[in-house]
Amino acid sequence: MAPPPASPADSADPDPRPASASAPVPITIPSPRELLHHHHHLVDRRDTPRGRAWEPERSRRGEAMDGAAAAKLVPGEAGYVLEDVPHVSDYLPDLPTYPNPLQDNPAYSVVKQYFVNPDDTVCQKIVVHKDGPRGNHFRRAGPRQRVYFEPDEVHACIVTCGGLCPGLNTVIREIVCGLSDMYGVTKILGIQGGYRGFYARNTTTLTPKIVNDIHKRGGTILGSSRGGHDTMKIVDSIQDRGINQVYVIGGDGTQRGAGVIFEEVKRRGLKVSVAGIPKTIDNDIPVIDKSFGFDTAVEEAQRAINAAHVEAVSAENGIGLVKLMGRHSGFIAHYATLASRDVDCCLIPESPFYLEGEGGLFKYIEKRLKDDGHMVIVVAEGAGQKLIAETMQSIGKDASGNELLLDVGLWLSQKINEYFKKNKMTINLKYIDPTYMIRAIPSNASDNVYCTLLAHSVVHGAMAGYTGFTIGQVNGRHCYIPFYRITEKQNRVSITDRMWARLLSSTNQPSFLCNKVVEEAKKEQERTAQLIDGSPSHRKVNEKVAVSNSGGTK
């Protein structure tokens, strides 16, 4: 079969990166993580490996532990900034390239344009003012006309770290099938048991036949764990096994660890592509539209809320209390409440609340019971932790160094029962905790499609020689994002935007917020908006971009 015609842009420039003649020379600047150095409370470290092996690495490798020693920016006209990702040719400049095998794949012969234009980028901030800057962009994901790995030389591995999430097995399946069916790769390893599996556990061979139906199961066939990150041992294992493509599926701490692996691979001069697929059921990874498994979690949460509603309406002064996942970000509780319309009160970590007095939770519950005779409350697991801490002691940390949260559901149930018993009012409270049931189920139809697109996009990027990146959907388009952008800041529900106002309108609950809390939330949102959503706000970065745009030297 004759190969499909390449687009004019691809014919003119087979290299997947922009040609030096048509794009400004990239400038290297300190990582934007420095901007948040003195705001360490903004960095989510739930999944960060913190065992003893990690600390010697930090002292030995310094800032490389943050996943990116420098940002790679390509400035353009009208305030355009491309936040590019590393490429293996950045430190191995004489690598050969090969025709992409997709051009001979009969399944793709119907595609009008096989290959992504090498200059295509995706804007991070889709809403702009007509006279404002074009803002930050990321490199668009997709197949390139030339690849930096021949299928026969590829030895790929896949590892899953952190907690469970719907869709993990789908991502594993589609990486394997994508490598095999699209590129003809035959050597794919599964690393068992998380990061420590590189040096302390067995591996398993993965083929399309082996992974054929794993998307129908929850969890991960490779197993997962927290902690266990020893950079030198991991990269030694990668080097000894001859692995040259590493696919890391995990949360922000896992992605931070993947960034460190990339830095060590680069230091050793290895032709290894390190790529990440961000995973969090809480949807708390910034920049990307949403994380895989989130739609499934919200859908499954509806079943628990429906059960709580049935229990509540079937009893005198019935109260259904549902605890959902959300350690620091209440997106599942937020969206499940909006979708349900049966919820009377939603409590999330971002919105402080109080129990006693006018405007407090107890008075609101009392009013709803008198008006309607029943009530449904949804609470995220991270909500009210400061209130609980006033009466209970901390229960320590997990293997990754994360604070173990006290059970807000049981605590709130007890407090509600005590209040109404003291006020001689009979209630019937039913507490439902479906958290681990939700994260253990298989992904639904929409998440399965989303996982497939993420997996195929990350494979295209690795084969094209990109490395040190994570794949994500931004404004509906898949793109390659530097590791540091998804580990600097945690995505949280904004209690000052219209989505939270819609929830308050739906539930008719009090906001529980004083003016001081609202003003502080607005200031915090404004302070970080330019860093997270717009062009780099660091003074030195802006100066270098301005100099480059004016034709000066760095």
Side-chain angles (χ1 to χ4, degrees):
M1 184 185 73
S7 69
D10 286 324
S11 299
D13 180 18
D15 194 303
R17 296 164 297 137
S20 58
S22 60
V25 177
I27 57 176
T28 302
I29 59 162
S31 169
R33 171 172 285 276
E34 294 177 6
L35 302 179
L36 296 179
H37 178 69
H38 58 288
H39 297 288
H40 54 73
H41 63 285
L42 295 177
V43 182
D44 177 23
R45 297 181 173 86
R46 287 181 305 153
D47 197 24
T48 308
R50 296 192 185 174
R52 292 184 179 179
W54 184 265
E55 293 305 322
E57 284 299 309
R58 179 174 293 278
S59 61
R60 206 160 52 226
R61 303 282 292 130
E63 285 304 311
M65 295 304 297
D66 288 327
K72 183 180 176 184
L73 301 186
V74 179
E77 297 179 357
Y80 170 96
V81 178
L82 168 62
E83 287 200 60
D84 210 351
V85 296
H87 194 273
V88 290
S89 63
D90 292 343
Y91 59 93
L92 297 172
D94 299 322
L95 292 176
T97 63
Y98 313 95
N100 193 320
L102 274 176
Q103 67 182 11
D104 300 319
N105 190 317
Y108 286 81
S109 61
V110 297
V111 180
K112 184 177 180 181
Q113 181 176 336
Y114 259 43
F115 305 113
V116 172
N117 189 304
D119 292 326
D120 282 357
T121 60
V122 178
C123 60
Q124 181 180 355
K125 195 171 184 179
I126 197 169
V127 178
V128 297
H129 300 294
K130 66 175 185 177
D131 297 325
R134 291 176 62 190
N136 281 24
H137 289 63
F138 301 109
R139 186 161 296 286
R140 184 184 175 192
R144 267 57 180 175
Q145 189 173 13
R146 307 289 293 183
V147 296
Y148 279 73
F149 294 91
E150 284 193 293
D152 290 344
E153 73 169 310
V154 173
H155 190 186
C157 74
I158 306 170
V159 62
T160 55
C161 305
L164 298 183
C165 177
L168 278 170
N169 277 335
T170 307
V171 174
I172 294 170
R173 180 188 190 277
E174 295 308 321
I175 291 175
V176 173
C177 292
L179 284 168
S180 176
D181 298 341
M182 293 189 295
Y183 288 98
V185 173
T186 58
K187 292 182 289 187
I188 309 170
L189 278 181
I191 307 298
Q192 296 181 335
Y195 274 137
R196 64 170 52 90
F198 277 99
Y199 56 86
R201 297 289 297 274
N202 293 328
T203 61
T204 182
T205 299
L206 299 177
T207 65
K209 184 176 181 180
I210 290 173
V211 302
N212 181 54
D213 62 351
I214 63 172
H215 62 292
K216 300 175 184 178
R217 298 180 241 162
T220 164
I221 63 165
L222 299 179
S224 185
S225 68
R226 298 186 184 274
H229 191 290
D230 188 314
T231 308
M232 295 302 171
K233 287 184 178 180
I234 291 171
V235 179
D236 285 345
S237 175
I238 291 171
Q239 194 169 1
D240 293 343
R241 296 176 187 271
I243 293 169
N244 52 20
Q245 289 186 8
V246 181
Y247 297 94
V248 182
I249 310 170
D252 60 337
T254 299
Q255 301 300 312
R256 193 178 295 114
V260 180
I261 293 172
F262 158 69
E263 292 292 340
E264 179 60 23
V265 163
K266 179 181 176 182
R267 189 187 69 82
R268 298 188 188 187
L270 304 178
K271 185 187 174 185
V272 176
S273 180
V274 182
I277 303 92
K279 177 247 9 162
T280 167
I281 197 171
D282 295 344
N283 199 38
D284 57 5
I285 291 179
V287 180
I288 64 176
D289 294 345
K290 65 177 179 179
S291 52
F292 71 83
F294 177 69
D295 283 352
T296 304
V298 171
E299 183 178 301
E300 188 68 10
Q302 297 298 291
R303 298 177 62 185
I305 293 174
N306 290 340
H309 183 250
V310 169
E311 289 286 352
V313 299
S314 301
E316 180 185 3
N317 290 332
I319 299 175
L321 176 61
V322 180
K323 185 182 79 171
L324 298 176
M325 301 194 84
R327 292 176 59 90
H328 304 291
S329 301
F331 285 102
I332 294 179
H334 184 188
Y335 279 74
T337 295
L338 280 174
S340 170
R341 301 292 172 171
D342 286 330
V343 179
D344 300 290
C345 186
C346 176
L347 305 174
I348 61 174
E350 295 88 341
S351 181
F353 66 94
Y354 55 97
L355 302 177
E356 307 280 355
E358 290 299 322
L361 180 62
F362 291 156
K363 288 293 185 181
Y364 175 61
I365 295 174
E366 194 171 351
K367 180 179 183 302
R368 293 308 292 255
L369 291 179
K370 288 179 180 178
D371 291 346
D372 301 333
H374 66 274
M375 184 177 186
V376 175
I377 303 171
V378 168
V379 58
E381 62 180 325
Q385 290 298 312
K386 289 185 178 179
L387 286 176
I388 307 176
E390 294 174 1
T391 58
M392 301 175 67
Q393 292 183 342
S394 172
I395 54 177
K397 300 181 180 182
D398 65 15
S400 292
N402 310 312
E403 289 286 345
L404 293 172
L405 299 180
L406 297 160
D407 193 326
V408 65
L410 289 175
W411 174 82
L412 194 56
S413 299
Q414 180 183 358
K415 290 295 182 182
I416 292 172
N417 279 317
E418 289 175 355
Y419 173 82
F420 284 100
K421 183 177 182 180
K422 182 175 66 175
N423 288 273
K424 296 181 172 53
M425 181 176 175
T426 302
I427 63 168
N428 288 281
L429 189 149
K430 299 296 187 296
Y431 172 47
I432 298 175
D433 180 0
T435 51
Y436 288 99
M437 293 175 62
I438 289 175
R439 75 176 198 169
I441 65 172
S443 53
N444 63 12
S446 65
D447 268 325
N448 270 336
V449 174
Y450 186 36
C451 290
T452 299
L453 297 179
L454 288 173
H456 289 187
S457 293
V458 79
V459 167
H460 291 317
M463 291 297 296
Y466 292 112
T467 182
F469 73 91
T470 192
I471 184 67
Q473 179 175 285
V474 178
N475 294 321
R477 295 287 185 178
H478 289 76
C479 55
Y480 302 135
I481 305 168
F483 280 130
Y484 65 81
R485 285 306 307 270
I486 63 165
T487 59
E488 286 174 335
K489 170 78 176 178
Q490 187 179 42
N491 195 24
R492 292 192 173 195
V493 175
S494 172
I495 58 173
T496 59
D497 74 359
R498 287 190 292 272
M499 282 301 287
W500 185 244
R502 292 185 181 104
L503 181 141
L504 296 179
S505 175
S506 169
T507 62
N508 292 315
Q509 71 186 66
S511 68
F512 302 112
L513 301 177
C514 62
N515 289 334
K516 180 180 178 182
V517 174
V518 173
E519 289 303 316
E520 288 178 352
K522 287 181 178 179
K523 289 179 181 178
E524 178 67 13
Q525 189 174 5
E526 291 171 0
R527 187 188 66 77
T528 58
Q530 190 175 22
L531 172 65
I532 303 304
D533 297 323
S535 299
S537 58
H538 195 287
R539 177 178 55 82
K540 293 183 179 180
V541 175
N542 291 333
E543 289 174 356
K544 289 187 176 184
V545 171
V547 169
S548 180
N549 284 337
S550 64
T553 57
K554 291 192 289 180

